[in-house]
Amino acid sequence: MSKASELARRLIREHDLPDEGLYTLIAERDAESRAALKEAAGDLARSIYGRKIFIRGLIEFTNYCKNNCLYCGIRRGNQKADRYRLTQEEILACCEAGYGLGFRTFVLQGGEDPYFTDERLCAITAAIRERFPDCAITLSCGERSRESYERLWQAGANRYLLRHETASKSHYQKLHPPEMSWDNRVQCLYTLREIGYQVGCGMMVGSPFQTTEDLVADLRFMQKLRPHMVGMGPFIAHKDTPFRDRESGSVELTLYLLSIIRLMMPKVLLPATTALGTAMQGGREEGILCGANVIMPNLSPPSARDKYMLYDNKLRSGAEAAENIANLRENLMKVGYDIAVDRGDSLVL
Ligand code: SAH
């Protein structure tokens, strides 16, 4: 048996490995270790969540951003991005449409857009809370102050997604301009947790300069933070960013890491991301078979979808579109799963 598959077997039994073990499991992965992790992580997810996939309706409400992350298509320095922001009415209309389709979680994601002051964002959150009292509201709009996170919580938000992007500070600095701070981003995650939000962290797989050590650090970081959700997809280059010529992250490694995360954090909510679906046809279904249990279809108005381009060729139609939920269900049925129609709260305490 290969070293990697011995380690895979140990991870399946013990749900953890020493750093060197995780390193070798990743660096020396082979067909055998891949098959073992996929089977065990799929079984574990099914034993906890059944064959039901939670859905979240993603509303991309602004692509204005004051940040200049080197990988991101909506970075402030991308002069070619056609900027838009949705009004409160448009956002509520997205929720309305989503509610009718069976969504009970709305995710408001956007760039860090100073237009959305606490007043404006709290008003939107409170309006959604009032109209859809049985729904979870997830925000994903970057780094804000503790006070801001508290006010949004008071207004009715329940969850917050803020990928840590990388657990290594030096790697973080290679992906972001000097004015951005790893410490602040990580502090935000702990603050959100303290306030009471269910939090999601995560990273891109195969982002420029990422090493296997960095991935091991990501796994340790997540074990320490104990997030309710981990959002992870392959890095995909955007043509109008400094990383335009960089190779995309590996789908195979993304799937492998989904399985590792499922095994290390059994109850965590684990989306099969849009980036995974973009990088490989059927990628999200394969993600589910490797241990993922959440899908986030797009509820944004079509004009916004075209403009919220974080990376090239981002999926925006077909089963990715919330209105094609029947299509998504069909695809899931083919691999033996169905959609759960409830809020899908985290089991992580
Ligand atoms: N402004 C919010 C939302 C960012 S976009 C925030 O700061 O959290 C959501 C996620 O998309 C990012 O956290 C990043 O991990 C991912 N992303 C951005 N550019 C990407 C790219 N080129 N390839 C793959 N994922 C990307």
Side-chain angles (χ1 to χ4, degrees), residues 191-206:
T191 302
L192 288 160
R193 232 207 120 99
E194 262 171 50
I195 294 171
Y197 285 92
Q198 293 181 27
V199 301
C201 67
M203 71 283 186
M204 294 175 284
V205 177

Side-chain angles (χ1 to χ4, degrees), residues 120-175:
R120 289 194 174 108
L121 207 48
C122 284
I124 292 166
T125 303
I128 300 175
R129 173 54 55 239
E130 195 188 45
R131 278 258 284 275
F132 306 97
D134 57 330
C135 292
I137 303 173
T138 305
L139 300 177
S140 178
C141 34
E143 296 167 45
R144 302 176 75 97
S145 66
R146 172 184 283 266
E147 192 205 339
S148 172
Y149 290 147
E150 277 168 353
R151 290 177 68 181
L152 290 163
W153 173 258
Q154 293 301 331
N158 315 94
R159 308 179 183 153
Y160 206 102
L161 304 183
L162 185 74
R163 291 189 178 177
H164 63 286
E165 310 297 0
T166 171
S168 147
K169 199 162 167 168
S170 58
H171 183 217
Y172 188 91
Q173 289 165 345
K174 294 179 183 157
L175 301 177

